Amino acid sequence: MHFNLTDEQRALSDMVQRFLSQEYASDARRKILRSPEGWSREIWGKLGEMGLMALQVPEEQGGMAPATVETLLTMGAMGKALVVEPYLSSAVIGTALVRGLGTPAQRDALLPAMATGERIAVPAHGEAGSRHDLSRVATTARRGGAGWILDGRKAVVLHAPAADLLLVTARTAGAGDAQAGLSVFVVPATAPGVKLIPYPTIDGQRGADVVLSGVELPADALLGQEGQAFEGISAAFDLGVAALCAEAVGVLQATLDATTEYTRTRKQFGVPIARFQALQHRMADMLMHVEQARSMSYLAAMHASSTDVKERRRMVSAAKVTVGQACRYVGQQAVQLHGGMGVTDELAVSHCFKRLLAIELSLGDTDHHLERFITESK
Amino acid sequence: MDLTFTEEERRFRDEVRAFLEASLPAAMRHRLLEGLHVPPEDTVAWQRILFRKGWGGPSWATEFGGTGWDPVRQFIFEEECAAAGTPRLLPFGLKMVGPVIQRFGNAAQHARFLPRILSGEDWWCQGYSEPESGSDLASLRTLAVRQGDHYLVTGQKTWITLAQHADWIFCLVRTDRTGKAQAGISFLLIDMKSPGVEVRPITMLDGGHEVNEVWFEDVRVPVENLVGEENKGWTYAKFLLGHERANIAGIGGSKRELIRLKRIAAEERKHGRPLSEDPFFAARLAQVEIDLMALEITNLRVLSAEAEKRAPGPEASLLKIKGTEIQQALTELMVQAVGPYALPFRIEALQDGFAGPPVGPEYAAPLAATYCNMRKTSIYGGSNEIQKNIISQMILGL
């Protein structure tokens, strides 16, 4: 067992961190958040040039999958910088969906452009009634027109406004939360019948509700086999959870660093407030949360591509529980220890706090993964 | 021991409830209960409605135009108001500067300021904190120099809640830089329209504009606006801090939010069943409900001791800590309850009458912003860490 990085991995991590610290500093990020699109194509293009979108793309389509550790390092760096570009949605989950479900022809058609970042494809999966259940899908796809006709509504599709393609889960058979009968369709965001209701999210990212009204698709829009998508979806989302955990660790570390730095410089009663033991112990607790979360993010990354599905789910859920609890504690205490400054928009800590909240709620909240861990442990 | 309210107290509650039923405008109620933006006009209008009823000063003695209610009646009134969804009464006039003026002000100040607080004509704000003086308030540096019949005030206050609407600000200012920090502070009333006063907004993490910096540059303040004696301001400030007791725990508001949380949990679905039936969520909700039950009784014990004229003590710190923890826990559970629909953040959807396309259930729209906003409660009014210092020192004698 070892936790060492190869020279190449260290170089990649350094490169990403250096780029983001130069081009994605606080002011630059604020400008991006305030822009009409809410993300930067320029930054996205440069991240693509670094090869980061290729990490989960197979070699046959011009990528380097499975680059598990590289993905972990990239997500951590993006967490530290609070990157809002659609990396997790397109380069991790979207890419894993196409890789896992697509036929060789579909992979050839879609992945090369995703590997460079030229094409952005995001999952449109969750619905109003599904909460965090992956198999509870009501959107339907029926045969008709030249192939398929989709109807339904997708809730809180992150980065949908940035996407060229939506990877829409729809039911071709079954009902309720049946795993059988789920299919994924490649839907151009501009297809007739697709309507986006876009909005910012609490953490400054962008999302949309996606309304699908009689969307006609060609036969080959179906990704892989009809009705057999559940396991591919589950695998792609577990990889997404592992990546999200890695991002969380980056945010958590940045949040803790900001807090120790602030308490060292903020003086009250004639001394830096970091001298007060009550606050020292609080920051020690924050550190323990960060380190436990980091450990679990490694565990999740190492099991995210495991062929033992039960074990994969169990490990990924355990990680998300630990990370979710860390997000809650570290985020809240960081704001608290910053005092009034912590609840302003001015300091980075409030932006970290909001991202930590969003991470905790995304891809299954703490209770969801606690329950799944119990189920998969039986 | 009897944990029930007396017959008269129950009749009083019925009277309050009937009044609120008849007098609280439906639109105001809707905005508050749904967590929408509450415009300042609502706050003023509600104060005027209460004033016309003779209830403008629920915690004031009758000699100052108040109701003369005892602490238990004040508690009942606040609880009923919270349950009904009234706009919050501004504490800055009624619970802060009002009692200070009553206790330490002169007759001219009584006549000039108190009636206009009751009637809602004057909006007050509180100028205490400074950038370098938060928890260590006594280190404040805003300077007031006496020049004949006025003071010249220069300095910067911060975290001034709703100063953008205020007519007046009560300030702690430094009038003596020699000796102990606490001994050189005075309590000054400043007209916000005075030349040299500038309000600068602070944007909060939920995007809202609730607090401000207030800058003073050579602001002339007439000497008659000094409350009590020069350099005794710290004593008055401590009196003020100790005065806002009846509702520091926010029991009524938390009960209202608990009901809202239960309503949301009954609407939301997990695995196709009501979220309220999910054992994980139900356990978390029950825990908060139990904490709130305990705090309500603790609060009533403190009030009852106060009513018996036993000195109201540092128990207020306990009420503040637990009260804010419960308020925050309720906002956390509401965010959790709505799942992914907590994430969309549409500021425009928080305005009453928003007509854009709906995203998720209507009740979900303000929840994440409220969760973020409520982090302030464990920081303001003496951070919970400072409150724990008070408990350690004043109750435990450590």
Side-chain angles (χ1 to χ4, degrees):
Chain A
M1 175 176 292
H2 74 93
F3 295 94
N4 304 327
L5 301 178
T6 65
D7 289 344
E8 290 79 11
Q9 288 166 343
R10 196 167 294 114
L12 174 98
S13 179
D14 289 348
M15 174 182 69
V16 179
Q17 293 203 41
R18 198 165 46 243
F19 170 74
L20 290 174
S21 66
Q22 283 164 3
E23 308 241 350
Y24 218 83
S26 186
D27 286 349
R29 179 178 178 272
R30 271 170 209 271
K31 203 175 282 177
I32 291 169
L33 258 61
R34 277 197 300 265
S35 69
E37 281 196 312
W39 65 288
S40 164
R41 284 185 190 278
E42 190 192 338
I43 295 286
W44 181 254
K46 289 180 180 171
L47 294 171
E49 284 165 23
M50 284 184 232
L52 300 181
M53 273 56 131
L55 296 178
Q56 292 295 331
V57 173
E59 275 180 38
E60 305 88 84
Q61 284 86 32
M64 327 172 202
T68 306
V69 173
E70 288 77 4
T71 301
L72 181 98
L73 294 170
T74 301
M75 288 302 297
M78 291 193 174
K80 190 177 164 198
L82 297 173
V83 170
V84 298
E85 279 64 28
Y87 190 82
L88 176 66
S89 297
S90 184
V92 180
I93 305 177
T95 300
L97 276 173
V98 175
R99 187 186 69 198
L101 291 171
T103 61
Q106 288 172 322
R107 291 204 293 265
D108 285 341
L110 295 169
L111 288 176
M114 290 176 74
T116 60
E118 285 162 72
R119 185 180 286 134
I120 295 173
V122 308
H125 181 83
E127 299 178 4
S130 60
R131 181 167 288 266
H132 307 293
D133 285 351
L134 278 185
S135 61
R136 192 170 297 277
V137 173
T139 296
T140 57
R142 59 192 160 84
R143 289 184 188 276
W148 299 94
I149 299 174
L150 266 60
D151 284 283
R153 177 170 175 145
K154 294 294 176 179
V156 197
V157 179
L158 293 174
H159 298 117
D164 305 300
L165 300 174
L166 300 167
L167 304 173
V168 176
T169 309
R171 202 162 265 299
T172 41
D177 64 346
Q179 294 179 1
L182 292 181
S183 305
V184 173
F185 293 86
V186 181
V187 181
T190 52
V194 175
K195 188 182 153 220
L196 264 59
I197 305 169
Y199 41 75
T201 52
I202 188 71
D203 55 336
Q205 307 214 1
R206 299 295 171 108
D209 275 25
V210 178
V211 183
L212 305 155
S213 314
V215 179
E216 279 195 42
L217 299 172
D220 65 357
L222 169 66
L223 211 49
Q225 300 293 304
E226 179 184 343
Q228 307 290 313
F230 178 76
E231 183 40 47
I233 295 168
S234 175
F237 275 79
D238 275 349
L239 182 70
V241 174
L244 185 64
C245 287
E247 181 193 345
V249 173
V251 187
L252 287 164
Q253 186 66 55
T255 308
L256 176 59
D257 290 345
T259 307
T260 53
E261 176 61 23
Y262 182 81
T263 57
R264 275 200 196 96
T265 50
R266 169 73 176 172
K267 282 187 181 169
Q268 289 285 271
F269 305 104
V271 295
I273 61 173
R275 295 266 184 86
F276 297 119
Q277 199 172 39
L279 304 195
Q280 291 171 353
H281 286 185
R282 200 86 58 82
M283 287 183 275
D285 286 335
M286 290 166 74
L287 175 120
M288 288 190 279
H289 272 290
V290 176
E291 293 308 328
Q292 292 282 81
R294 192 188 314 278
S295 298
M296 291 304 264
S297 78
Y298 295 163
L299 193 68
M302 293 303 127
H303 284 86
S305 308
S306 168
T307 49
D308 181 344
V309 171
K310 209 171 166 64
E311 190 66 356
R312 182 195 80 211
R313 290 190 183 141
R314 202 169 153 267
M315 294 300 179
V316 164
S317 281
K320 187 63 167 46
V321 169
T322 308
V323 165
Q325 289 164 343
C327 289
R328 175 70 57 101
Y329 186 83
V330 172
Q332 291 183 349
Q333 295 309 327
V335 167
Q336 183 72 20
L337 296 194
H338 276 77
M341 290 307 298
V343 290
T344 67
D345 179 65
E346 189 181 330
L347 296 191
V349 68
S350 71
H351 296 253
C352 291
F353 171 79
K354 290 186 283 188
R355 181 63 193 144
L356 290 172
L357 170 67
I359 289 174
E360 189 192 339
L361 296 172
S362 297
L363 302 181
D365 66 7
T366 299
D367 277 1
H368 169 82
H369 284 286
L370 203 52
E371 188 181 23
R372 196 175 78 149
F373 179 81
I374 293 168
T375 306
E376 299 298 339
S377 299
K378 281 174 188 164
Chain B
M1 184 178 302
D2 183 358
L3 295 182
T4 58
F5 289 103
T6 65
E7 186 57 37
E8 297 91 74
E9 285 163 352
R10 283 199 292 274
R11 270 201 302 275
F12 174 74
R13 186 186 289 278
D14 290 342
E15 184 193 352
V16 171
R17 203 172 282 181
F19 168 74
L20 294 175
E21 184 76 31
S23 311
L24 175 61
M28 273 187 205
R29 181 172 196 270
H30 170 75
R31 285 190 276 275
L32 201 112
L33 292 182
E34 298 304 326
L36 300 173
H37 174 68
V38 175
E41 293 78 17
D42 278 13
T43 307
V44 173
W46 180 239
Q47 177 68 33
R48 294 201 167 137
I49 289 170
L50 288 177
F51 176 65
R52 283 197 293 275
K53 166 76 175 169
W55 290 358
S59 54
W60 287 16
T62 48
E63 60 174 308
F64 298 114
T67 58
W69 290 333
D70 63 21
V72 173
R73 278 177 173 72
Q74 292 172 41
F75 174 84
I76 291 171
F77 177 75
E78 299 218 14
E79 186 173 37
E80 288 302 321
C81 284
T86 71
R88 185 181 74 132
L89 292 182
L90 287 177
F92 316 108
L94 285 171
K95 291 194 166 175
M96 296 180 177
V97 76
V100 169
I101 292 173
Q102 290 165 18
R103 178 79 172 74
F104 304 104
N106 55 38
Q109 289 170 337
H110 289 177
R112 183 179 177 194
F113 294 112
L114 297 180
R116 296 174 63 86
I117 293 174
L118 287 179
S119 64
E121 283 164 279
D122 283 346
W123 186 307
W124 283 83
C125 63
Q126 178 189 33
Y128 270 30
S129 295
E130 298 180 5
E132 302 302 322
S133 305
S135 290
D136 183 12
L137 184 60
S139 66
L140 62 90
R141 291 190 296 206
T142 294
L143 200 60
V145 180
R146 176 87 183 248
Q147 289 193 348
D149 61 353
H150 64 267
Y151 290 97
L152 218 49
V153 177
T154 300
Q156 184 198 347
K157 295 290 180 180
T158 193
W159 314 126
I160 315 300
T161 303
L162 303 177
Q164 70 267 39
H165 308 307
D167 304 296
W168 286 84
I169 182 169
F170 59 96
C171 281
L172 293 180
V173 294
R174 184 151 302 285
T175 37
D176 188 348
R177 280 183 285 192
T178 62
K180 203 164 168 252
Q182 285 84 349
I185 293 170
S186 297
F187 197 104
L188 214 50
L189 312 177
I190 303 177
D191 188 336
M192 290 291 283
K193 290 184 291 295
S194 312
V197 177
E198 192 195 342
V199 177
R200 298 182 191 171
I202 298 173
T203 303
M204 302 288 278
L205 81 170
D206 62 353
H209 173 199
E210 195 174 11
V211 296
N212 305 271
E213 297 174 350
V214 177
W215 293 68
F216 301 94
E217 198 184 331
D218 292 333
V219 176
R220 286 171 68 100
V221 181
V223 167
E224 65 248 36
N225 289 8
L226 174 74
V227 176
E229 293 176 47
E230 203 173 81
N231 296 331
K232 290 280 177 65
W234 190 251
T235 310
Y236 312 151
K238 279 198 295 188
F239 167 86
L240 183 161
L241 284 173
H243 206 269
E244 192 201 352
R245 257 155 231 288
N247 195 33
I248 196 166
I251 300 287
S254 288
K255 280 186 172 178
R256 179 190 67 220
E257 296 304 300
L258 180 68
I259 290 169
R260 184 165 159 224
L261 172 60
K262 286 181 174 176
R263 197 184 77 202
I264 293 172
E267 287 285 320
E268 290 291 320
R269 291 290 178 274
K270 180 172 172 180
H271 305 320
R273 306 277 313 152
L275 178 63
S276 49
E277 293 174 15
D278 172 58
F280 291 84
F281 194 83
R284 292 185 194 276
L285 196 154
Q287 185 62 60
V288 178
E289 184 166 6
I290 291 165
D291 285 348
L292 181 56
M293 287 163 70
L295 186 63
E296 181 176 14
I297 299 298
T298 306
N299 195 2
L300 290 169
R301 283 169 54 210
V302 172
L303 291 180
S304 145
E306 198 177 335
E308 288 166 23
K309 293 288 176 207
R310 283 192 274 138
E315 306 89 347
S317 294
L318 190 163
L319 301 180
K320 200 262 174 173
I321 295 168
K322 287 306 293 183
T324 53
E325 285 177 355
I326 289 168
Q327 288 159 32
Q328 292 176 338
L330 286 164
T331 65
E332 289 175 31
L333 287 179
M334 278 189 232
V335 164
Q336 188 188 334
V338 296
Y341 269 126
L343 292 177
F345 178 58
R346 304 196 297 171
I347 289 185
E348 63 277 12
L350 306 186
Q351 297 293 336
D352 197 6
F354 170 70
V359 166
E362 196 185 346
Y363 54 68
L367 297 180
T370 304
Y371 165 76
C372 290
N373 183 277
M374 288 300 280
R375 300 314 304 171
K376 71 189 177 190
T377 64
S378 49
I379 295 167
Y380 68 29
S383 73
N384 285 13
E385 288 78 12
I386 291 294
Q387 306 293 343
K388 285 179 185 176
N389 286 350
I390 293 172
I391 291 175
S392 311
Q393 290 157 21
M394 309 290 284
I395 301 182
L396 295 170
L398 300 174

